Amino acid sequence: MTPFEATHRRPASKGVLTPSSPRCCMGTGLLLLLVFVAGLRVSHGTTDPTDAAALRSLMDAWKNTPPSWGQSDDPCGTPWEGVRCRNSRVTVMTLSTMGLKGTLSGDIAQLSELESLDLSYNNELRGQLTENIGNLKKLTTLSLAGCSFSGKIPDEIGDLEKLSFLALNSNKFTGTIPASLGTLSKLYWLDVADNQLTGPIPISNNGAPGLDQLLNTKHFHFNKNQLLGPIPEQLFSSNMTLIHILFHGNQLTGEIPASIGLVKSLQVLRLDRNFLKGSVPSNINSLTNINELNLANNQLSGPMPNLTGMNSLNHVDLSNNKFDSSESPAWFSQIESLTALVIQSGRLYGQVPEKLFSFPQIQEVILDDNKFNGTLAMGNSISQQLQIVSFKNNALDSVTLQPRYNMTLILAGNPVCNNQPSDTTYCSLQQKQSLPYSTSLANCGPKQCPPDQSLSPSKCNCAYPYEGVMFFVGPRIRDVTDSTLFQEMERTMSIKLGLEPGSVFLENPFFSGDSYLQLQVKLFPSDGRYFNRSEILRIGFDLSNQIYRPPESFGPYNFIASPYPFPDVEGRPSMSPGLITGISVGCALLVLGLVGAGVYALRQKKRAQRAMELSKPFASWTRSGEDSGGAPQLKGARWFSFDELKKSTDNFSETNQIGSGGYGKVSRGLLSSGQLVAIKRAQEGSKQGALEFKTEVELLSRVHHKNLVTLVGFCFEQEEQMLVYEFMPNGTLRESLSGLSRSGVLHDTTADREE
Ligand SMILES: *[C@@H]1O[C@H](CO)[C@@H](O)[C@H](O)[C@H]1NC(C)=O
Ligand SMILES: *[C@@H]1O[C@H](CO)[C@@H](O)[C@H](O)[C@H]1NC(C)=O
Ligand SMILES: *[C@@H]1O[C@H](CO)[C@@H](O)[C@H](O)[C@H]1NC(C)=O
Ligand SMILES: *[C@@H]1O[C@H](CO)[C@@H](O)[C@H](O)[C@H]1NC(C)=O
Ligand SMILES: *[C@@H]1O[C@H](CO)[C@@H](O)[C@H](O)[C@H]1NC(C)=O
């Protein structure tokens, strides 16, 4: 580090050098540094001294605070980015996606007027969440989504009596959900999803609080933890106003409490992927506002639930339970609002009413692994929306087909396919599917960007987008090709986030193994190649605090951002005018010399760092395996060098090319082991960040399905991103690849449950 760099980023606060200041190699340098520091200490002093000291203490505990932090002693007067004040007191601190590293110091408690704290998407912010947080009595919003906090959620959060928004999702919290949260009578949003929480759902008892008291809470997002025990009958009452109950992906046992039928406001009920047993309460159909009902993957028994009267239902999934064997329930032909009906292994037999296929919004009917028999008749008023009908492994012995129906119909595994030529369309598992939606870059022509940048759809320039993944946890739609809907999202998003029209790029929507619609989002700056910090922390806030609302049919979402590559994070110097005016030409020349050396050193450092960053996402994969030469390994997926794949495809020669699409080209390759593979090579513009690429590889390597090609490995080097699949001689690879984005095909994957 040069003295200049250190001075610029972290001027010493009290006129002395802090321990982190550099060893100065030159007397002149030191002098300069003191001149600079003195210049900065002229402050207006409008900030309450306790608040100023608290902010400084937080700053000292964090790396990568915005460069404006510490530039003045007056965080309110000469503002520190992300800090807002009223009457000299700090009331708002929003530092979403700043790349903060470190822990949250207990000194946060000194900011006693703080109303809003947003530290979301700083995934290197770790350690325990300080119990002092309970002193922030004015806090209404606390968002720590997408950080790496661990340990217990402190009981003291229950002291934040004004709290209305609490997002602790996607951290590493352990322990139980504190019962004290039950005292938060103003709480509107409670999201603790995607942690490692265990124990029961707390209810009030002998004067001790519990979550049954949260009568103003609309959102219980507890999904993807390790919560245990039954869902308490006492948890729900008619005075509750919940609209989303997301309990899926836990280890809940016992029966579904009948009291759930009292929560008439409910719109999304996800209890799937638990160990629930017994019958579904018969009053479930009094929940007439529910759009999404997912009870799949439990051990529910008794009669197939009677959903008659639930006339807002869009998506229903009751798969993989132990319901009594029955014919199609009456509601199959009654609930005209349905978009998707999914009941796999439901022990259903007989006929499916034709009416189901004529519902105006129906997109998906998946009834695999039942005992439907006789003739499948879909009638002659099939809905225009219908995309996929799957009756895999049933007992159908004939089908009357409407010639007009040209979308996917899967009858493989039925007697009707026993004596058919193997190329009968409905008997094959691989069928034509359209590609998932992706924002068009057609206007930009064949432009290419460096690997760490992307093409802005509005300006067609290369820029560093703000990227992340949207997880729609209870979507009403199933059609990932619906451009009208995704374009509506692009439009509303750019307006709400204050971006120019056309600066939202969406791609790769697909249904994940846990029935989430996942969507890759890239947002582009209006000017230049970068967003500045103020913009990033604002956008991060709007997404982590649910200020942006997508079109209704997308339902509730979580957004998780990737780190943003600020140009100055590694200390790229940018001179402050105050520095330059104060010093002589001689000093200026000296400075320039220092800067020059510094820039060079920094560039080198940055380059090295970037190279490290690129490989970092793979660091968690164990490094072993003799066939990889010590390269990153993932169970089931092998690392390939670029050279090896180049050789296997005869330098990606045209003759080996077997397909191409928006993402790039697919080539046939022959590995030295003799294995034939298909290699999907991302082209410029469709490459992903290292983390997303890693996530994709992890996902693909976990999915094993007889309809899907298996991932053999991947290559991530020399600015190349390639996925290597088993070669499938029949059917085109593209179909198989796009199959991944179809829930219909993923429904009976043997993929591990997401952790
Ligand atoms: C619901 O609220 C009413 C009035 O506020 C109250 O009388 C009643 O006891 C409450 N019921 C339950 C089940 O909490
Ligand atoms: C299903 O529920 C509706 C409405 O509650 C009722 O009228 C109907 O008889 C029920 N059907 C069966 C088969 O129990
Ligand atoms: C379908 O299966 C049921 C139950 O096994 C049987 O009673 C019925 O006759 C079958 N229907 C046809 C059309 O084969
Ligand atoms: C299906 O048929 C309709 C007309 O009936 C046509 O517009 C549409 O493009 C066809 N779709 C496919 C995938 O072939
Ligand atoms: C950040 O960018 C926005 C929009 O381009 C601009 O209005 C604002 O002044 C910039 N803020 C800083 C601190 O540069």
Side-chain angles (χ1 to χ4, degrees):
M1 257 206 279
T2 66
F4 182 84
E5 177 202 353
T7 315
H8 184 78
R9 299 187 58 213
R10 280 283 155 80
S13 52
K14 307 207 164 58
V16 293
L17 295 173
T18 61
S20 63
S21 298
R23 276 182 298 121
C24 290
C25 44
M26 267 184 260
T28 342
L30 180 60
L31 185 67
L32 243 173
L33 191 147
L34 291 173
V35 167
F36 183 29
V37 169
L40 287 175
R41 294 196 60 244
V42 181
S43 65
H44 308 284
T46 59
T47 311
D48 174 89
T50 312
D51 283 6
L55 285 177
R56 213 165 258 292
S57 155
L58 293 173
M59 184 181 105
D60 288 343
W62 287 336
K63 273 196 184 138
N64 297 338
T65 48
S68 57
W69 278 49
Q71 294 269 353
S72 79
D73 269 349
D74 186 12
C76 298
T78 312
W80 294 12
E81 273 162 300
V83 173
R84 290 210 298 272
C85 304
R86 200 171 52 231
N87 302 329
S88 302
R89 299 300 309 273
V90 175
T91 53
V92 174
M93 186 158 82
T94 61
L95 291 169
S96 181
T97 336
M98 289 294 106
L100 295 181
K101 292 185 193 180
T103 58
L104 181 59
S105 145
D107 289 350
I108 185 84
Q110 303 299 318
L111 300 173
S112 56
E113 292 290 314
L114 198 62
E115 292 166 13
S116 179
L117 176 59
D118 178 13
L119 300 174
S120 58
Y121 318 141
N122 289 291
N123 65 1
E124 296 193 70
L125 214 48
R126 50 186 88 246
Q128 300 242 346
L129 180 56
T130 169
E131 58 197 38
N132 292 4
I133 198 99
N135 295 357
L136 301 176
K137 295 284 191 291
K138 300 273 174 70
L139 211 57
T140 60
T141 295
L142 176 59
S143 176
L144 306 177
C147 299
S148 294
F149 287 106
S150 56
K152 235 177 126 325
I153 297 174
D155 290 336
E156 287 77 3
I157 288 193
D159 299 341
L160 303 175
E161 54 200 33
K162 295 211 160 132
L163 202 62
S164 75
F165 187 91
L166 178 60
L168 304 177
N169 49 301
S170 301
N171 278 276
K172 295 173 178 159
F173 286 112
T174 52
T176 58
I177 299 177
S180 62
L181 297 184
T183 59
L184 299 175
S185 61
K186 299 217 161 60
L187 199 62
Y188 166 86
W189 183 278
L190 173 55
D191 193 340
V192 294
D194 196 12
N195 279 289
Q196 294 150 30
L197 299 172
T198 180
I201 298 171
I203 46 168
S204 60
N205 179 18
N206 281 334
L211 303 192
D212 50 308
Q213 295 170 318
L214 293 175
L215 301 186
N216 291 314
T217 307
K218 301 246 190 275
H219 299 267
F220 275 0
H221 296 192
F222 302 170
N223 41 302
K224 292 177 106 175
N225 280 288
Q226 292 145 33
L227 298 175
L228 296 171
I231 303 172
E233 185 76 39
Q234 193 195 320
L235 183 59
F236 303 111
S237 70
S238 55
N239 289 356
M240 282 194 139
T241 52
L242 285 166
I243 59 172
H244 296 160
I245 295 181
L246 306 180
F247 287 180
H248 55 281
N250 280 289
Q251 294 165 22
L252 297 168
T253 53
E255 301 194 5
I256 299 175
S259 57
I260 213 163
L262 302 172
V263 189
K264 300 281 190 266
S265 46
L266 213 51
Q267 294 173 9
V268 175
L269 178 59
R270 287 198 61 174
L271 304 177
D272 49 300
R273 297 163 172 85
N274 280 291
F275 301 104
L276 300 171
K277 58 182 196 298
S279 316
V280 175
S282 59
N283 65 355
I284 188 115
N285 64 1
S286 62
L287 296 173
T288 52
N289 290 311
I290 289 200
N291 315 126
E292 151 102 16
L293 176 67
N294 195 336
L295 306 178
N297 298 72
N298 279 291
Q299 293 155 18
L300 297 166
S301 56
M304 180 62 67
N306 177 2
L307 306 186
T308 299
M310 299 180 76
N311 291 328
S312 305
L313 273 181
N314 298 131
H315 176 239
V316 174
D317 192 341
L318 303 173
S319 300
N320 304 318
N321 281 289
K322 296 174 172 171
F323 294 123
D324 299 343
S325 180
S326 72
E327 293 194 72
S328 297
W331 55 267
F332 271 28
S333 55
Q334 292 169 342
I335 306 181
E336 306 220 351
S337 54
L338 282 176
T339 55
L341 175 65
V342 185
I343 307 180
Q344 304 187 77
S345 302
R347 300 186 187 170
L348 293 164
Y349 64 88
Q351 302 282 296
V352 176
E354 290 180 9
K355 186 98 187 287
L356 175 64
F357 305 100
S358 72
F359 290 158
Q361 309 178 67
I362 192 83
Q363 296 177 0
E364 200 177 276
V365 176
I366 313 266
L367 295 166
D368 299 340
D369 302 302
N370 283 290
K371 297 263 175 334
F372 287 109
N373 57 351
T375 300
L376 173 66
M378 291 168 60
N380 47 22
S381 47
I382 294 174
S383 168
Q384 297 284 332
Q385 304 294 318
L386 198 56
Q387 305 275 318
I388 177 166
V389 173
S390 182
F391 280 87
K392 219 187 316 163
N393 304 330
N394 274 278
L396 296 163
D397 48 33
S398 63
V399 55
T400 45
L401 261 187
Q402 275 298 308
R404 210 169 62 82
Y405 182 71
N406 57 2
M407 302 307 285
T408 304
L409 171 65
I410 301 178
L411 298 179
N414 283 275
V416 66
C417 287
N418 286 353
N419 301 312
Q420 298 279 358
S422 63
D423 61 348
T424 306
T425 312
Y426 58 72
C427 291
S428 88
L429 290 165
Q430 308 271 328
Q431 294 186 33
K432 193 164 62 182
Q433 283 169 355
S434 356
L435 285 175
Y437 179 77
S438 174
T439 306
S440 172
L441 293 171
N443 289 339
C444 299
K447 245 184 126 163
Q448 305 222 326
C449 289
D452 55 345
Q453 299 179 44
S454 304
L455 206 52
S456 154
S458 61
K459 297 212 151 64
C460 295
N461 63 332
C462 294
Y464 292 89
Y466 181 60
E467 287 186 57
V469 179
M470 273 186 132
F471 299 84
F472 297 100
V473 293
R476 302 187 203 170
I477 53 150
R478 308 308 289 178
D479 182 1
V480 293
T481 68
D482 186 339
S483 49
T484 315
L485 211 52
F486 287 105
Q487 281 164 6
E488 179 62 6
M489 179 150 153
E490 289 165 8
R491 198 183 63 81
T492 53
M493 210 173 196
S494 56
I495 293 174
K496 190 75 200 182
L497 300 179
L499 304 171
E500 284 194 346
S503 12
V504 177
F505 179 83
L506 305 177
E507 68 177 341
N508 195 23
F510 71 99
F511 280 89
S512 67
D514 39 18
S515 281
Y516 295 167
L517 172 57
Q518 280 182 222
L519 176 66
Q520 195 75 32
V521 178
K522 293 183 184 177
L523 307 172
F524 287 86
S526 309
D527 281 322
R529 283 187 303 149
Y530 289 97
F531 282 111
N532 64 32
R533 279 192 166 67
S534 311
E535 293 170 297
I536 290 290
L537 53 85
R538 181 180 55 75
I539 296 170
F541 180 88
D542 285 352
L543 291 167
S544 69
N545 288 272
Q546 306 283 320
I547 307 295
Y548 169 66
R549 291 300 171 111
E552 255 204 338
S553 42
F554 284 95
Y557 75 91
N558 282 124
F559 177 81
I560 298 295
S562 310
Y564 191 73
F566 292 108
D568 51 5
V569 156
E570 295 307 325
R572 181 182 296 174
S574 63
M575 293 204 205
S576 99
L579 174 62
I580 295 169
T581 47
I583 50 181
S584 71
V585 174
C587 283
L589 285 175
L590 174 67
V591 171
L592 288 178
L594 282 172
V595 170
V599 168
Y600 179 73
L602 286 167
R603 286 255 163 88
Q604 295 299 103
K605 184 176 159 197
K606 211 175 154 171
R607 221 180 246 171
Q609 215 118 15
R610 199 144 270 145
M612 262 178 61
E613 291 296 330
L614 276 178
S615 60
K616 206 195 271 168
F618 301 90
S620 62
W621 297 350
T622 55
R623 287 172 171 273
S624 68
E626 50 283 358
D627 62 348
S628 69
Q633 285 289 293
L634 178 69
K635 196 176 76 181
R638 190 193 141 188
W639 174 86
F640 289 92
S641 71
F642 176 67
D643 285 338
E644 186 175 0
L645 295 184
K646 187 170 149 192
K647 206 169 126 201
S648 78
T649 55
D650 197 7
N651 196 12
F652 300 97
S653 71
E654 210 134 290
T655 47
N656 280 323
Q657 198 173 307
I658 51 176
S660 67
Y663 52 84
K665 297 200 164 94
V666 180
S667 300
R668 207 171 64 115
L670 183 60
L671 300 180
S672 52
S673 65
Q675 187 181 9
L676 260 182
V677 290
I679 300 169
K680 176 184 161 196
R681 183 186 188 192
Q683 68 188 7
E684 289 306 329
S686 68
K687 283 183 195 153
Q688 325 177 54
L691 263 175
E692 293 92 86
F693 184 72
K694 181 196 174 199
T695 310
E696 185 178 6
V697 173
E698 280 176 333
L699 173 76
L700 291 174
S701 66
R702 242 182 291 161
V703 175
H704 302 283
H705 187 283
K706 54 181 180 281
N707 300 346
L708 284 172
V709 281
T710 307
L711 186 74
V712 177
F714 66 98
C715 167
F716 189 80
E717 70 161 355
Q718 297 189 13
E719 305 181 350
E720 290 286 349
Q721 294 182 2
M722 291 186 259
L723 293 170
V724 182
Y725 295 89
E726 240 171 45
F727 185 78
M728 302 219 320
N730 296 323
T732 77
L733 184 72
R734 195 178 73 177
E735 286 158 16
S736 317
L737 296 185
S738 68
L740 238 197
S741 29
R742 301 290 317 199
S743 61
V745 198
L746 269 177
H747 272 296
D748 65 349
T749 62
T750 54
D752 305 343
R753 186 188 284 181
E754 298 274 325
E755 51 297 311

